[in-house]
Amino acid sequence: AERGNANAQCSPGSHYGNGRAVEQDYAEAVRWFRKATEQDFTLAQNRLAACYAKGEGVEKNLVETVKWYRKSAELNSPAGQTYLGDCYAKGEGVEQDKTEAYAWYSLPTETLTIPRKKREALEKEMSPQQVIAGKKRAEELRAPIAAKLKSGGK
């Protein structure tokens, strides 16, 4: 972990966050998650976002929550895309925007059932125009995500 392996850095963060094999220490968990996020490790970005959402180890800050979920989502993390969709659907850390939520839920639907179900439920609350806009926005999001992945995340 000290040598810079992102997965190895995220692991102690999870242990400290859960109190598994060590005394629970959210601040220490955040410290390890931050190390791994410096290497664009999406699991750590999602876990750091959750710390900000809950105020564990850091002051609760929903804007920071969105920032870290967005970083993960833009690196094609299905979990990050789903959580970012949740933020838009609920208006947590961002202005509520069902069209944007629909778009983010649309990205991981090929691999995950949960975002597909969330998108389908949200669709029932949307006008046909909003659904069309959400589909268009999802397509707009796919191109830069694919380009970022092709360039190694930069």
Side-chain angles (χ1 to χ4, degrees):
E2 292 292 350
R3 293 187 194 152
N5 179 290
N7 191 33
Q9 291 170 334
C10 192
S11 184
S14 297
H15 288 292
Y16 280 109
N18 295 324
R20 194 174 47 226
V22 293
E23 187 174 327
Q24 191 170 45
D25 183 339
Y26 292 122
E28 190 65 11
V30 166
R31 185 176 82 80
W32 283 104
F33 292 148
R34 283 192 194 285
K35 285 178 178 271
T37 64
E38 292 170 7
Q39 298 170 66
D40 289 333
F41 193 62
T42 60
L43 178 61
Q45 291 167 336
N46 291 330
R47 293 206 173 144
L48 183 59
C51 290
Y52 276 108
K54 298 173 187 172
E56 294 177 343
V58 291
E59 188 173 323
K60 184 175 181 173
N61 184 330
L62 296 179
V63 172
E64 281 293 306
T65 300
V66 170
K67 169 186 158 184
W68 288 105
Y69 283 145
R70 183 177 309 283
K71 285 179 180 280
S72 172
E74 290 176 349
L75 290 170
N76 207 33
S77 162
Q81 292 165 345
T82 303
Y83 294 138
L84 185 57
D86 290 344
C87 292
Y88 278 105
K90 298 172 187 172
E92 294 179 349
V94 290
E95 190 170 325
Q96 187 178 33
D97 185 335
K98 291 179 182 177
T99 301
E100 193 73 8
Y102 183 96
W104 285 106
Y105 288 152
S106 295
L107 299 179
T109 57
E110 295 169 9
T111 56
L112 297 176
T113 303
I114 292 171
R116 183 173 51 249
K117 288 182 177 180
K118 289 182 177 196
R119 185 188 68 194
E120 289 168 358
L122 186 62
E123 191 170 335
K124 293 175 184 172
E125 303 172 15
M126 298 170 68
S127 71
Q129 294 81 12
Q130 286 176 308
V131 172
I132 291 168
K135 289 177 181 178
K136 181 180 179 196
R137 178 68 178 132
E139 289 307 312
E140 291 170 356
L141 292 169
R142 280 189 174 91
I145 289 170
K148 187 177 267 190
L149 290 175
K150 191 173 182 178
S151 70
K154 304 297 177 208

